[in-house]
Amino acid sequence: MPEVIFPGPEGRLEGRYHPQKEKDAPIAIVLHPHPQFGGTMNNKVVYNLHYAFYNMGFTVLRFNFRGVGRSQGEYDQGVGELSDAASALDYLQSMNNNSKHCWVAGFSFGAWIGMQLLMRRPEITGFVSVSPPANMYDFSFLAPCPASGLVINGTADRVAPPADTTALVNKLHEQKGITITHQEIEGSGHFFEEPHLDTMIGNVSDYVKRRLTENSR
């Protein structure tokens, strides 16, 4: 797994970059959970999402937000982290200017950052939001949500209660021209303990593969 260091708004950012041989392979970035609660790019969910995208033929980048691991800077309430994610996408695109598809995937806090990135970057064609913390953060900026995507969470999530996630999805369903797919993993908590992790990753892979064969946004 090639380690990379690339420039962020507050100094260096540390990542793991996994290119495909095909020059026009789709690209994806994967965003990790909350830095102040132990979230890093090596989080189990993030790591498994990274490899799921790679195994589907994506060139993938995951990285540490500012102040995590060897990334410079310090935690910035999500504002700076969004800028970090934008820098990561710039870096990924600079090395893959022929890719037809660009995806963002995020887990928990990373899902919130990923959805904001979606609003800023029209080139993103799909997203995966895993356990989005709709009870803790305001997602009302998704008006309108610019791309179709998958929201996936556990029915036993105590960190981000399923009712809040369902309310978020219902709001997004009212929008025209995009399709929000919502899946709940029966019995899983926020962190997808085994055997739920495999189920979740399988669902994500099925969804992304299906989307890649369609031409819709």
Side-chain angles (χ1 to χ4, degrees), residues 4-197:
V4 289
I5 297 283
F6 58 93
E10 285 294 306
R12 294 189 310 273
L13 292 172
E14 169 192 22
R16 298 287 180 275
Y17 175 63
H18 221 128
Q20 300 283 348
K21 290 191 180 65
E22 294 73 31
K23 288 281 170 267
D24 60 348
I27 56 174
I29 65 169
V30 186
L31 305 172
H32 72 69
H34 205 296
Q36 294 195 307
F37 299 100
T40 78
M41 67 175 168
N42 295 323
N43 166 278
K44 196 170 62 173
V45 172
V46 171
Y47 180 89
N48 280 277
L49 283 169
H50 181 110
Y51 274 98
F53 273 97
Y54 181 72
N55 292 335
M56 286 185 279
F58 281 76
T59 287
V60 195
L61 174 70
R62 70 182 198 273
F63 70 97
N64 279 329
F65 287 124
R66 56 186 60 201
V68 177
R70 294 191 302 160
S71 290
Q72 293 178 314
E74 51 194 54
Y75 174 66
D76 189 33
Q77 315 288 334
V79 179
E81 286 74 14
L82 175 56
S83 301
D84 294 344
S87 293
L89 188 53
D90 289 342
Y91 172 73
L92 183 58
Q93 287 174 323
S94 70
M95 291 188 293
N96 301 277
N97 15 21
N98 296 327
S99 59
K100 295 181 193 67
H101 295 276
C102 172
W103 281 64
V104 58
F107 170 44
S108 194
F109 172 84
W112 179 56
I113 299 292
M115 299 296 269
Q116 292 178 74
L117 188 63
L118 195 65
M119 294 301 295
R120 290 184 164 201
R121 304 295 284 260
E123 69 271 25
I124 294 174
T125 45
F127 70 86
V128 175
S129 267
V130 181
S131 305
N135 56 322
M136 295 178 220
Y137 296 106
D138 182 4
F139 281 81
S140 62
F141 57 81
L142 290 166
C145 180
S148 298
L150 172 67
V151 175
I152 190 162
N153 63 299
T155 59
D157 190 333
R158 291 200 184 89
V159 178
D164 294 294
T165 305
T166 302
L168 167 64
V169 169
N170 288 342
K171 230 156 102 185
L172 295 176
H173 275 324
E174 295 164 11
Q175 301 186 13
K176 310 254 185 300
I178 58 154
T179 307
I180 302 297
T181 303
H182 183 209
Q183 297 176 355
E184 291 192 309
I185 307 294
E186 194 56 50
S188 175
H190 192 67
F191 297 98
F192 299 94
E193 311 72 15
E194 294 298 352
H196 303 300
L197 183 62

